[in-house]
Amino acid sequence: MLLGLFACLSIAEAMAQGKETITGMVVNEAKLPIHDATIFVLTTKQEVVATSFTDVNGNFKINVDRSGQLQLKISHTGFQSYTSAPFEGANKDFGSIILSSATKNLKEVVVESKQNPVTLDGNTLVFNVDKTISAQGSNALDALRKAPGVFVDNDQTISLNGKPGAMILIDGKQTYLSSREIADLLRAMPASQLKSIEIINSPSAKYDAAGTGGMINIKTTKLQFKGFNGSITSNFAYGILVRQSEDLSFNYRKDKVNVFGSYNHAFGHYKYVYGAARLQGNGNYISDTDDTDKRKRMGSRLGIDYNLDKKNTIGILLTGNFIFGGGITDTHTQLLNNQQNLDAINDYYHQNTQRYNVNLNYKFEDTLGHSLNIDADYGYYQKDAGNFQTNLYTDLQQTLLNDHYYRTINGANIDLKAIKVDYTGNFWKGTIESGAKYSAIATDNDSRFFQVLSTNELLDEQRSNDFSFKEEILSGYINFKKPFGAWVFQGGLRVENTLSKGALTYQKSGAAVAENIHRNYTNFFPSLSLSAKLNKDHQLSFGYARRIDRPAYQDLNPFVYLLDELSFWSGNPFLKPQFSQRFNVLYTFRNTTIIGLNYSYSTNFRANITDAVDANKIVMVPRNVGIQKNYSLTLTQLATLAKWWSLTFNGVCYHLGNEVSFEQYQNFNLKQTAARLNLQQTFKLPFKFTGEIFNTYNSKRLSGANEIIRSSTQLDLGLQRNLLAGRASFRLIWADIYKGNKFNSMQQLPGLYLQSYGYYESRQVRLSFTYKFADASVKGPRNRNSALENENGRIK
């Protein structure tokens, strides 16, 4: 398929070689390339002869077959338009064309745009983390909570505009982690590493189809200097416990070689407090848990790029993430009907997670709009843990009535291999992208559950198992983009074939039992977008995409994890992928008002369900529960009220409708309208200080299949001062000053009523200091996408 596509493109381009060409490069006043600038070739009567747009390096090439005098016109949001003097014929190279900032036409907008926390880049909403004081000094997860329309619930589920299933990428590479592991990774990453968070509601066919909730791309800061340079950031935080994090980045560039790397760590304990009250059958239970996470988090990367010549570059990138240390949960449960108490302590005496990835990259790119990118990746993930649990039953006088002891030992190893090829070229006065990808994943899980007796430990055969899962995905795509006057059309199609095999092995009555689950399915994922700059003040775009969410690998393992003897969590080997159709409309006025309208329809909707087991136990299991509909309206408003006072408002109003139907629960439907409001105010204070007030309000909302979460609020204060001619900065943040970011929820099924609460250390004081050192401005490390963009996102 791919060879045939390349052949067609080669023929088309050969036919175009008979035409004359106009080439050039568009840059800003800092000589940095401008991407997606619109290029017009006009007659002297202003009739459009041909149109195109610049690539990521600012280059453009237009084939024309018109003789006589022509003119070149270039426009891009935030810059003054450029119009060339009339020239005769074609075959002309304009070299570098500099666009000046539109300070005269949009002074009130553009002058401040460099400082705006929220901006718009095409159809992508960009949250500039480095322009938000209260996001600094914390970790990437806390910074993500402040992004427009992003929800991070108490169970670490990340939703976009109220819709769960958002695909998380870091610098264009998917993390290969599920929600809980993504949370761990982002907690280990200082917010000082982040430049921006991109929010894409309807990604193009070039991206993997994963992510029924849209796409969130977290972009890290790239060093842009020649010689040896870098930055170091130190953070200290105090809430209930003290934590410290460090971030060191460096870059060395000389001649054809560029070496770059980073190291970060987060040390200190995290405190969580949560619990539940439930009515189950004739029983009444109240439980409270004190959870201390003692794990340390570290991350590093090292990369080398080598320019073979002006068109060809090769590179290698090594990354590693490590989480290690202990933890303890202390759960006290009142069994009110029995007038008993259950005290359960989980001692996680061993926890170790290692994640490695190697990326090899080759890239060809010329000045005529052609590029070929090849990525080969290998990833390895290993996680092992040991836990000792005590369960002590006492009466109201604290007399011991019964005791049970358990030990669980878990190990998971995941190998990920992938290769992908991406090609970009010119076709029919537009740009065409095509590519193919192959990935192979193999995971092995060894889970052992022991009953600990006074003299020995007995293996519990019913709760122990070996689970292996293998999956191969072969995909290809084609994507075309072309301007038609003021409008730009983009359309694409992605095809993915998935072949998977799950094997569950366990002991039953002393004999080995094996269960196998095979799946083979092919899906098509179209995407369309249409955008226009109607005039200097108004922009409008429409988008559509079909998406998929495959289950996280460990969610398929039915091993049972105990909080105590009465409440536990289990995987589900019968989970199916969920699919989503997404539509969105985006309107922009003067780059200060952004209005979005979104709709998604999801089938095989997946959620964690808390269900009753026996007469007195509950289990949380991921299930495909039915259909979910999501409608959302978003508003982002930027305003400068005075020279010293500016604000950014972001509001999301959405409606969720869940049509739940599984097992004995049929036609169990819930609907809920909810809102999330953010208001960021920035003040220029005396003595070169900058202050910030950040307010967040979350209304009552529906989460998962049937969980209703009560409203919550948060107020953050921030203070910043630049030092040493801007090379250093100091920040002081007081987050959640009145402790309003608490979690309270209710869910109900026949025979079960459950109220839950939770609080993590959101109220804290943070101190941050950053120092940057550099030589002269040139170019930093390349931003490239790994072939393992999608598979990593499903590791748990």
Side-chain angles (χ1 to χ4, degrees):
M1 178 185 71
L2 189 61
L3 292 176
L5 178 61
F6 284 164
C8 293
L9 295 177
S10 300
I11 293 172
E13 291 189 9
M15 295 174 61
Q17 288 178 356
K19 301 180 180 181
E20 307 294 345
T21 59
I22 299 174
T23 59
M25 180 179 182
V26 182
V27 298
N28 60 17
E29 294 166 310
K31 303 299 178 64
L32 297 176
I34 298 176
H35 179 217
D36 260 352
T38 304
I39 313 295
F40 297 94
V41 178
L42 310 170
T43 66
T44 53
K45 295 181 179 180
Q46 301 303 296
E47 296 176 350
V48 177
V49 175
T51 57
S52 184
F53 47 87
T54 57
D55 61 20
V56 293
N57 295 312
N59 298 312
F60 66 88
K61 175 192 173 185
I62 304 179
N63 297 313
V64 298
D65 53 6
R66 178 77 66 91
S67 59
Q69 284 199 331
L70 302 173
Q71 283 184 293
L72 186 73
K73 183 176 180 179
I74 303 174
S75 64
H76 191 277
T77 302
F79 294 90
Q80 296 185 35
S81 296
Y82 164 87
T83 303
S84 72
F87 60 92
E88 191 74 28
N91 275 340
K92 182 174 180 61
D93 184 2
F94 278 83
S96 294
I97 300 173
I98 300 175
L99 295 189
S100 301
S101 297
T103 53
K104 295 182 180 180
N105 297 331
L106 295 173
K107 183 175 180 180
E108 73 280 8
V109 176
V110 177
V111 170
E112 296 297 331
S113 67
K114 295 182 180 179
Q115 303 299 322
N116 282 340
V118 180
T119 56
L120 186 67
D121 182 9
N123 293 328
T124 301
L125 195 64
V126 181
F127 174 61
N128 298 301
V129 179
D130 55 352
K131 305 304 180 186
T132 305
I133 298 174
S134 59
Q136 301 300 313
S138 62
N139 54 55
L141 183 65
D142 287 336
L144 182 61
R145 297 176 192 270
K146 296 180 177 295
V150 176
F151 295 73
V152 183
D153 283 332
N154 195 56
D155 62 354
Q156 312 308 328
T157 297
I158 298 174
S159 304
L160 181 58
N161 297 332
K163 169 65 179 169
M167 181 172 65
I168 306 297
L169 294 88
I170 298 178
D171 288 329
K173 306 174 182 66
Q174 187 144 351
T175 57
Y176 297 82
L177 303 172
S178 66
S179 58
R180 285 190 291 272
E181 290 296 339
I182 287 174
D184 280 333
L185 177 64
L186 296 182
R187 283 196 192 98
M189 183 184 297
S192 57
Q193 277 196 359
L194 308 188
K195 177 184 179 182
S196 62
I197 297 173
E198 297 179 338
I199 299 170
I200 310 172
N201 275 291
S202 299
S204 72
K206 182 176 181 178
Y207 296 97
D208 281 1
T212 57
M215 179 185 295
I216 299 174
N217 183 29
I218 300 173
K219 298 186 70 173
T220 60
T221 301
K222 295 292 190 301
L223 303 175
Q224 302 289 328
F225 305 104
K226 186 178 180 180
F228 182 76
N229 49 87
S231 67
I232 184 169
T233 299
S234 296
N235 302 301
F236 295 89
Y238 174 72
I240 301 175
L241 303 171
V242 178
R243 292 180 296 278
Q244 190 273 335
S245 61
E246 205 76 25
D247 172 30
L248 172 65
S249 300
F250 74 90
N251 183 75
Y252 177 75
R253 183 179 180 88
K254 184 177 182 181
D255 300 327
K256 295 184 176 182
V257 179
N258 188 56
V259 181
F260 57 96
S262 67
Y263 163 81
N264 66 80
H265 72 238
F267 296 158
H269 299 171
Y270 290 81
K271 179 70 73 172
Y272 307 88
V273 179
Y274 50 89
R278 76 177 190 267
L279 296 174
Q280 182 178 351
N282 297 321
N284 191 352
Y285 309 86
I286 299 176
S287 65
D288 302 281
T289 299
D290 186 283
D291 188 336
T292 303
D293 185 353
K294 302 179 180 180
R295 293 176 295 172
K296 297 178 174 65
R297 297 165 172 85
M298 301 173 64
S300 62
R301 71 170 185 163
L302 179 64
I304 301 175
D305 288 334
Y306 181 75
N307 297 321
L308 300 174
D309 52 39
K310 292 183 178 180
K311 298 181 180 179
N312 297 275
T313 303
I314 58 175
I316 182 172
L317 178 62
L318 311 175
T319 59
N321 301 100
F322 314 94
I323 303 175
F324 54 93
I328 192 166
T329 66
D330 188 348
T331 301
H332 176 75
T333 302
Q334 303 175 56
L335 290 70
L336 299 181
N337 292 55
N338 298 337
Q339 296 188 345
Q340 295 179 6
N341 295 320
L342 169 59
D343 290 291
I345 296 178
N346 284 284
D347 179 8
Y348 295 93
Y349 56 87
H350 172 72
Q351 296 181 102
N352 184 43
T353 301
Q354 302 176 57
R355 177 172 170 261
Y356 305 91
N357 191 76
V358 180
N359 168 251
L360 301 176
N361 175 263
Y362 165 77
K363 186 171 186 178
F364 165 83
E365 189 166 19
D366 62 17
T367 60
L368 302 179
H370 308 108
S371 68
L372 177 66
N373 192 85
I374 302 175
D375 277 291
D377 280 77
Y378 173 74
Y380 177 74
Y381 176 92
Q382 178 180 347
K383 181 177 181 179
D384 49 85
N387 172 45
F388 182 78
Q389 183 184 96
T390 63
N391 290 268
L392 306 178
Y393 291 87
T394 60
D395 59 20
L396 300 182
Q397 288 73 42
Q398 299 299 309
T399 302
L400 182 63
L401 302 176
N402 204 350
D403 57 344
H404 300 128
Y405 303 89
Y406 305 104
R407 186 187 307 277
T408 57
I409 300 175
N410 305 299
N413 298 287
I414 302 178
D415 280 296
L416 307 102
K417 305 178 183 69
I419 185 169
K420 70 169 185 173
V421 180
D422 297 292
Y423 170 78
T424 302
N426 300 312
F427 178 69
W428 196 36
K429 299 181 182 180
T431 296
I432 195 163
E433 299 173 313
S434 62
K437 176 182 174 181
Y438 170 78
S439 64
I441 298 93
T443 173
D444 290 300
N445 300 266
D446 183 9
S447 304
R448 296 289 177 262
F449 191 98
F450 297 89
Q451 297 183 36
V452 180
L453 306 178
S454 57
T455 57
N456 64 338
E457 298 185 4
L458 295 179
L459 179 67
D460 188 328
E461 295 181 349
Q462 293 183 340
R463 294 179 175 177
S464 302
N465 68 55
D466 290 306
F467 178 74
S468 65
F469 181 79
K470 295 182 179 180
E471 182 182 73
E472 295 177 280
I473 301 176
L474 179 62
S475 60
Y477 74 91
I478 184 169
N479 193 62
F480 179 67
K481 184 176 182 181
K482 178 180 172 62
F484 293 90
W487 292 87
V488 177
F489 167 82
Q490 179 173 275
L493 178 66
R494 187 177 188 91
V495 183
E496 295 187 353
N497 173 259
T498 305
L499 177 64
S500 65
K501 177 182 178 181
L504 177 65
T505 305
Y506 57 94
Q507 296 289 322
K508 186 175 183 180
S509 302
V513 179
E515 297 181 6
N516 297 311
I517 300 175
H518 298 263
R519 290 199 174 112
N520 187 349
Y521 52 93
T522 300
N523 299 107
F524 295 85
F525 301 97
S527 65
L528 296 169
S529 71
L530 189 64
S531 60
K533 183 177 180 181
L534 305 177
N535 53 47
K536 69 177 183 178
D537 292 335
H538 303 274
Q539 297 181 63
L540 184 65
S541 67
F542 304 87
Y544 163 79
R546 184 173 188 256
R547 312 288 292 171
I548 185 176
D549 260 341
R550 299 177 180 89
Y553 305 125
Q554 285 95 321
D555 279 350
L556 299 170
N557 185 0
F559 182 76
V560 175
Y561 298 86
L562 271 69
L563 180 63
D564 58 32
E565 283 190 325
L566 302 181
S567 54
F568 44 92
W569 181 93
S570 175
N572 180 0
F574 301 103
L575 283 177
K576 298 178 181 179
Q578 61 180 0
F579 296 88
S580 178
Q581 310 267 358
R582 298 184 57 81
F583 303 84
N584 72 284
V585 180
L586 196 64
Y587 166 76
T588 306
F589 175 71
R590 290 187 179 177
N591 279 358
T592 59
T593 303
I594 305 170
I595 301 174
L597 182 63
N598 307 281
Y599 170 74
S600 69
Y601 180 90
S602 299
T603 57
N604 285 341
F605 170 57
R606 185 172 64 248
N608 290 325
I609 298 295
T610 300
D611 205 352
V613 178
D614 300 329
N616 61 347
K617 299 176 182 178
I618 57 172
V619 59
M620 179 179 286
V621 182
R623 298 181 184 272
N624 297 106
V625 297
I627 294 172
Q628 183 179 75
K629 299 177 183 178
N630 172 269
Y631 308 81
S632 65
L633 176 66
T634 64
L635 170 64
T636 298
Q637 180 65 57
L638 311 177
T640 301
L641 305 181
K643 292 183 178 180
W644 52 272
W645 183 12
S646 63
L647 63 82
T648 300
F649 170 81
N650 177 261
V652 180
C653 180
Y654 66 93
H655 177 81
L656 280 181
N658 291 346
E659 299 177 9
V660 178
S661 178
F662 68 97
E663 294 186 354
Q664 71 269 33
Y665 307 114
Q666 302 296 324
N667 301 318
F668 184 73
N669 301 333
L670 284 177
K671 297 180 180 180
Q672 181 71 49
T673 299
R676 174 182 172 88
L677 308 177
N678 288 342
L679 178 62
Q680 178 181 343
Q681 301 180 76
T682 304
F683 307 90
K684 294 181 180 180
L685 304 177
F687 307 106
K688 298 182 179 180
F689 279 93
T690 301
E692 180 181 284
I693 301 176
F694 198 106
N695 302 78
T696 300
Y697 169 76
N698 293 310
S699 74
K700 178 181 177 182
R701 60 195 185 275
L702 173 62
S703 178
N706 64 328
E707 185 175 19
I708 301 297
I709 302 177
R710 294 180 182 175
S711 62
S712 63
T713 60
Q714 182 166 331
L715 173 63
D716 301 342
L717 302 179
L719 189 66
Q720 176 177 289
R721 175 69 155 83
N722 291 331
L723 307 168
L724 303 177
R727 289 179 296 171
S729 60
F730 160 88
R731 299 180 182 90
L732 178 65
I733 299 99
W734 187 8
D736 197 10
I737 61 175
Y738 55 83
K739 205 175 180 179
N741 191 7
K742 295 180 180 180
F743 171 85
N744 291 278
S745 73
M746 180 277 294
Q747 52 186 310
Q748 186 172 4
L749 288 172
L752 175 65
Y753 178 84
L754 180 67
Q755 285 189 329
S756 303
Y757 74 90
Y759 170 75
Y760 75 102
E761 286 185 77
S762 57
R763 183 168 69 178
Q764 53 184 279
V765 177
R766 302 194 299 264
L767 181 65
S768 174
F769 179 79
T770 299
Y771 177 75
K772 300 178 181 179
F773 51 94
D775 295 336
S777 177
V778 194
K779 186 179 180 181
R782 295 181 299 143
N783 183 22
R784 59 178 183 249
N785 294 340
S786 161
L788 289 175
E789 291 174 336
N790 177 57
E791 291 72 21
N792 270 331
R794 295 162 59 206
I795 295 178
K796 192 170 184 177

